[in-house]
Amino acid sequence: MSKLVIVGTVAFDAIETPFGKTDKILGGAATFIGLAASHFNIDAAAVSVVGGDFPQDYLDLLENKNIDVSGVEIVKDGKTFFWSGRYHNDMNTRDTLVTELNTLADFNPVVPENYKDAEVVMLGNLHPIVQSSVLDQMTTKPKLAILDTMNFWMDCALDDLLNVIKRIDVITINDEEARQLTGEYSLVVAARKIHEMGPKYVVIKKGEHGALLFHNDHVFYAPALPLEEVFDPTGAGDTFAGGFAGYIAKTGDTSFENMKNAVIYGSTLASFCVEKFGTERMQNLSSTEVHQRLLQFKQLTQFDIELT
């Protein structure tokens, strides 16, 4: 069984959308990635940090999904990372209301000894130096190192970000971030420039408009499934990344053809994530529901063109 190391935040979120608002609920990149990856019955471990205020029930939830939490440091006298945001009516734009780094400010990830040979490493959105330190701890070069990042690090830690980008195989960013990173409006040109920075594969997420996968001169596009209701987009990108990484870890196949499947699985899982607040939908998602939605994706995208 392939091993997957997931590095990122395990956190509290408070979310406000046109459909309602929450108090502090379970969130964080590593949480969403882990819950998505758990659908592939792989040997996964989360590496993160929380404070003494983090409920044991949340850690138990991850363990019950077969996610090893021995790499989640608990700082007894510290407080857990907290983010609060408010989404606009279009659900694509949001305002950050509160960001409290708390224990994350001094986070030094420690990969558990028995995961230092993991075949797949998923580096969730964190400071690039923290992401690099995880790669430094691996005793064997991962078969696939995947990195997620955001415009904040492009603004304040660009050199560190470029250094870690050189070391990874796949980068997942959204269209706005791809344009900022490269200075190019065309996503095809932007992907080519990102290839030149190091990654063999570039995944550009376009939210409700799907995702693009680039590899050399090859391009694959996966639409997002049209949904009746988008309740809360928080964590959708991380859920996509978790589905993508989990599928690759499960199959052990890093070819472009197999990555197309990984993109579809990631998109499918992300379509569930947005249906409820926070991680609520992902906590109770059944394999039957995933299979049925994959069939919907197939019907949405497969057709024969009659050439005249």
Side-chain angles (χ1 to χ4, degrees):
M1 187 187 293
S2 290
K3 293 179 185 175
L4 169 65
V5 168
I6 300 161
V7 187
T9 51
V10 173
F12 292 129
D13 290 340
I15 302 155
E16 188 175 334
T17 78
F19 301 102
K21 61 191 295 186
T22 70
D23 293 323
K24 282 187 178 181
I25 57 173
L26 176 62
T31 308
F32 284 104
I33 293 167
L35 289 172
S38 71
H39 282 273
F40 300 94
N41 297 317
I42 51 174
D43 189 0
V47 178
S48 191
V49 63
V50 295
D53 57 343
F54 195 75
Q56 182 62 41
D57 286 355
Y58 286 165
L59 293 173
D60 292 343
L61 166 70
L62 295 175
E63 282 203 302
N64 290 337
K65 297 287 186 182
N66 293 321
I67 300 162
D68 187 304
V69 295
S70 61
V72 179
E73 179 188 358
I74 302 172
V75 181
K76 291 291 185 188
D77 58 350
K79 292 177 71 177
T80 302
F81 175 77
F82 172 62
W83 176 84
S84 175
R86 179 191 298 124
Y87 286 88
H88 296 193
N89 285 336
D90 65 1
M91 298 294 274
N92 287 321
T93 51
R94 69 185 185 192
D95 300 320
T96 292
L97 304 178
V98 180
T99 302
E100 295 175 3
L101 291 177
N102 298 330
T103 54
L104 194 67
D106 302 309
F107 177 43
N108 291 308
V110 178
V111 178
E113 211 56 47
N114 55 330
Y115 286 92
K116 289 184 176 179
D117 60 349
E119 290 86 351
V120 181
V121 175
M122 178 66 231
L123 300 170
N125 174 35
L126 287 168
H127 195 294
I129 290 177
V130 174
Q131 293 174 321
S132 282
S133 76
V134 172
L135 296 177
D136 293 340
Q137 293 176 53
M138 304 305 291
T139 53
T140 54
K141 189 179 188 307
K143 198 170 183 179
L144 204 73
I146 308 164
L147 177 137
D148 190 26
T149 191
M150 67 181 297
N151 46 13
F152 178 78
W153 306 119
M154 297 171 199
D155 293 333
C156 70
L158 183 59
D159 288 345
D160 294 325
L161 178 59
L162 292 174
N163 283 334
V164 73
I165 285 175
K166 287 176 191 170
R167 305 177 62 185
I168 53 103
D169 305 293
V170 183
I171 185 170
T172 69
I173 52 177
N174 68 31
D175 45 0
E176 175 194 344
E177 292 155 353
R179 289 175 172 130
Q180 179 174 340
L181 185 60
T182 61
E184 298 287 348
Y185 184 80
S186 161
L187 294 179
V188 175
V189 178
R192 189 182 307 131
K193 283 201 169 183
I194 296 170
H195 276 312
E196 291 166 2
M197 296 174 187
K200 301 183 193 73
Y201 301 93
V202 178
V203 178
I204 298 179
K205 299 172 289 187
K206 291 167 59 64
E208 63 180 323
H209 303 297
L212 289 156
L213 169 67
F214 296 89
H215 174 57
N216 296 331
D217 295 326
H218 301 289
V219 185
F220 173 69
Y221 169 70
L225 194 71
L227 299 171
E228 286 187 22
E229 199 169 69
V230 175
F231 208 77
D232 172 20
T234 309
D238 295 316
T239 301
F240 172 91
F244 182 93
Y247 183 83
I248 297 294
K250 174 74 171 178
T251 59
D253 180 353
T254 60
S255 68
F256 181 72
E257 288 303 311
N258 197 52
M259 286 205 186
K260 292 180 183 179
N261 290 324
V263 168
I264 294 294
Y265 270 87
S267 296
T268 299
L269 289 163
S271 75
F272 286 107
C273 177
V274 302
E275 292 181 341
K276 296 262 181 90
F277 272 121
T279 61
E280 184 182 348
R281 187 70 175 93
M282 299 306 295
Q283 290 179 34
N284 305 305
L285 183 61
S286 72
S287 55
T288 303
E289 289 175 306
V290 175
H291 181 71
Q292 287 172 341
R293 192 156 289 185
L294 280 166
L295 292 177
Q296 285 181 263
F297 251 103
K298 193 172 182 180
Q299 291 167 351
L300 177 72
T301 57
Q302 285 197 350
F303 58 92
D304 291 321
I305 298 176
E306 295 291 338
L307 297 176
T308 58

